[in-house]
Amino acid sequence: MKLICIGRNYTEHIKELDNERPSEPVVFIKPDSAVLPKEQDFYIPSFSNDVHYEVELLVKITKVGKHISEKFAHRYYDEIGLGIDFTARDLQAQLKSKGLPWEKAKGFDGAAVIGNWLPKEKFKNLNELGFSLLKNGEIVQNGHTSLMLWKIDELIAYVSTYFMLKKGDIIFTGTPSGVGKVAPNDYLVGKIEGEQLFAVKVR
Ligand code: ZN
């Protein structure tokens, strides 16, 4: 199973990190060992002093496919979810400045929170969904799928040009603005349309 992550998919987040607006999606992969086991606390790794949360809408792939066209992309997923793409921002900045891959900053153990899944039929329009991240009870990120530069079906078409999608693969569709640092004892809760899908304690 692989986690395919999209970077820079929301204009406001591109601005807050001072990044260039991409002409095509930014893609990176986290290994399956990055998945934080359910009900486990997230431990800030020793190699970073600036780990950020990034709440993201997730899509779970249900069957094998490559070169999937946007028109047929909806046949490749039944469920959506919510998760966190934890990022060692200090390490990522170092790697970026040298033009090196981000994996160490994004793919470390526990760096991928995956919440509960919801059937996509539950929603009328997946491109009109609100989601949020609360830190210690306060909303720190508010996202809306209508603001994604590339929508779910476009992302599936795009990534499947490069990577064969397999059953169980998960796409992280990028974070909206509001990313920030976590500290020990923070409590992070993620919601789609008000429904809680995960809760994580930071250590
Ligand atoms: Zn991200």
Side-chain angles (χ1 to χ4, degrees), residues 109-133:
D109 296 348
V113 172
I114 296 169
N116 296 333
W117 296 97
L118 295 172
K120 68 178 182 187
E121 282 76 32
K122 192 178 159 88
F123 306 102
K124 248 193 224 130
N125 184 351
L126 296 182
N127 296 327
E128 291 290 343
L129 288 183
F131 58 95
S132 56
L133 183 74

Side-chain angles (χ1 to χ4, degrees), residues 36-131:
L36 184 70
K38 276 248 149 79
E39 314 299 333
Q40 276 194 22
D41 296 341
F42 171 75
Y43 282 80
I44 297 172
S46 57
F47 51 78
S48 177
N49 292 310
D50 194 21
V51 171
H52 281 197
Y53 51 76
E54 294 189 354
V55 73
E56 311 200 359
L57 190 90
L58 310 183
V59 180
K60 194 201 277 175
I61 298 298
T62 50
K63 58 181 180 182
V64 172
K66 54 197 292 186
H67 297 288
I68 300 164
S69 68
E70 188 186 329
K71 194 169 75 172
F72 296 122
H74 66 276
R75 296 182 183 175
Y76 290 81
Y77 60 99
D78 298 328
E79 293 176 307
I80 59 156
L82 198 68
I84 299 178
D85 164 21
F86 276 121
T87 304
R89 196 70 73 200
D90 43 1
L91 182 54
Q92 185 194 28
Q94 268 177 40
L95 295 166
K96 265 163 98 171
S97 71
K98 294 180 192 157
L100 295 171
W102 301 349
E103 268 76 359
K104 288 191 291 183
K106 291 272 197 184
F108 58 87
D109 296 348
V113 172
I114 296 169
N116 296 333
W117 296 97
L118 295 172
K120 68 178 182 187
E121 282 76 32
K122 192 178 159 88
F123 306 102
K124 248 193 224 130
N125 184 351
L126 296 182
N127 296 327
E128 291 290 343
L129 288 183
F131 58 95

